[in-house]
Amino acid sequence: MDKLEFDRFLTDLDCDGALVETRAAAETTLSRRSLVGASLAGAAAIQLGRASGAAAAGGLSASDISILNYALVLEYLQAAFYTEAERNGALSGKAAQAATVVGATERAHVKAFRKLLGSEAVKQPVFDFQGTSEQQQAFLKTAVALEDLAVAAYKGQAPKLQSNAVLAAAVGIHSVEARHAAWMRELFGITPAVHAFDQPASRAQVTRLVASTKFIVTKPRVQGRGNPNFTG
C-alpha cells in the first residue's frame, strides 16, 4: 500500500479526528510495534476472519490481510450491535446518543476495511445479540464488554503487522476504540480507566470470549420485546 492509498484509507476512517491527531506520533514511533494491532474473532464458519486467498490486497502481505480481516470481523460485530440498538429504539438519553455516534464510527471502519481489502474481505456473519440491544442496561453492559475486548484485541496483533502504513492507521483506530470503551464505561457507571497499562488479548482468548456470547449465528432469533433487523 503506497502513501496515496494510505492517505485515502486514513481519510475514510477518520470520523472524529482521532487518526489525524495520532498519525504524526505513530509515524515517529513505528519501531515500537507493540503499540497496537488490528484483530478480533470471527466465527467458526469464517474461521476468525482468515481470508482463503493468498493474493495481497493493495500490495499487503498475506499476514497483514489476515490481521485486517480479523479486525474487520470485530468491526462487523460492533457495527451490527450499535445499528440494531438504534433500530430497536429502546435506548434513550445519553445512551441513545452514544449508540448513534459510536455506531456511525464502527460502520465507517467496516467500509474502510472492506475498501482496503477488496475481494479479500471476509463476508459479514449473521448476528443475534440475544436481546442485549433491546434494553438500556443490557445494551450498556454489552457495549462495555465489546469495546474493552476490541481494545485488547487490537493491541494483541501489533507485533505481527508488517506494513508500517497499516500500523500507523491501526494506532489511530485503537485510540478511537479506547475512547469508545471509556465512554461506555462512564455511561454504565464504572471507572473508565482502572489500570495504568492495558494487557493485550490473543486470538485464542478473543475467540473463546466471542464464542461464549453466542452472538454469531446461522439463523437469528428475536429475544425480548423488539424486532431487530439482523445483519448478515
Side-chain angles (χ1 to χ4, degrees):
M1 182 166 60
D2 61 27
K3 185 177 185 300
L4 179 59
E5 289 174 317
F6 172 57
D7 287 341
R8 289 171 179 167
F9 178 63
L10 199 66
T11 299
D12 285 340
L13 286 173
D14 200 9
C15 292
D16 66 354
L19 301 192
V20 170
E21 187 175 309
T22 59
R23 180 181 180 184
E27 290 179 339
T28 60
T29 57
L30 287 173
S31 61
R32 302 178 187 177
R33 301 188 67 86
S34 61
L35 285 178
V36 310
S39 65
L40 193 265
I46 59 173
Q47 305 214 340
L48 308 179
R50 295 181 187 275
S52 58
L60 296 174
S61 69
S63 175
D64 280 1
I65 290 172
S66 177
I67 292 173
L68 288 169
N69 269 313
Y70 191 46
L72 176 57
V73 177
L74 165 61
E75 301 299 344
Y76 279 147
L77 177 68
Q78 293 175 303
F81 175 68
Y82 291 111
T83 299
E84 186 175 295
E86 289 180 74
R87 290 175 177 174
N88 282 337
L91 306 180
S92 62
K94 292 182 178 179
Q97 178 189 21
T100 299
V101 174
V102 176
T105 302
E106 305 297 3
R107 289 189 292 272
H109 289 175
V110 167
K111 181 179 179 181
F113 277 122
R114 285 181 60 85
K115 181 177 179 181
L116 178 65
L117 286 163
S119 62
E120 293 295 329
V122 294
K123 294 182 179 179
Q124 181 167 298
V126 176
F127 298 107
D128 181 346
F129 293 106
Q130 312 293 325
T132 57
S133 63
E134 301 171 49
Q135 196 276 332
Q136 186 145 310
Q137 284 302 104
F139 163 80
L140 290 172
K141 182 178 180 180
T142 304
V144 169
L146 291 180
E147 297 298 345
D148 280 358
L149 185 63
V151 173
Y154 266 79
K155 187 175 182 180
Q157 293 300 299
K160 301 176 184 179
L161 283 168
Q162 297 175 357
S163 166
N164 284 346
V166 172
L167 179 60
V171 170
I173 300 168
H174 179 265
S175 70
V176 172
E177 298 296 346
R179 293 180 187 189
H180 292 172
W183 193 2
M184 293 302 170
R185 279 174 159 265
E186 182 180 16
L187 291 176
F188 189 57
I190 58 179
T191 305
V194 178
H195 305 292
F197 301 96
D198 285 330
Q199 296 299 313
S202 69
R203 283 199 185 194
Q205 290 172 319
V206 174
T207 298
R208 287 194 297 270
L209 287 169
V210 172
S212 71
T213 67
K214 304 187 187 301
F215 286 167
I216 301 179
V217 298
T218 55
K219 293 182 179 180
R221 60 191 177 89
V222 175
Q223 296 282 332
R225 61 183 176 79
N227 184 28
N229 292 299
F230 294 100
T231 309

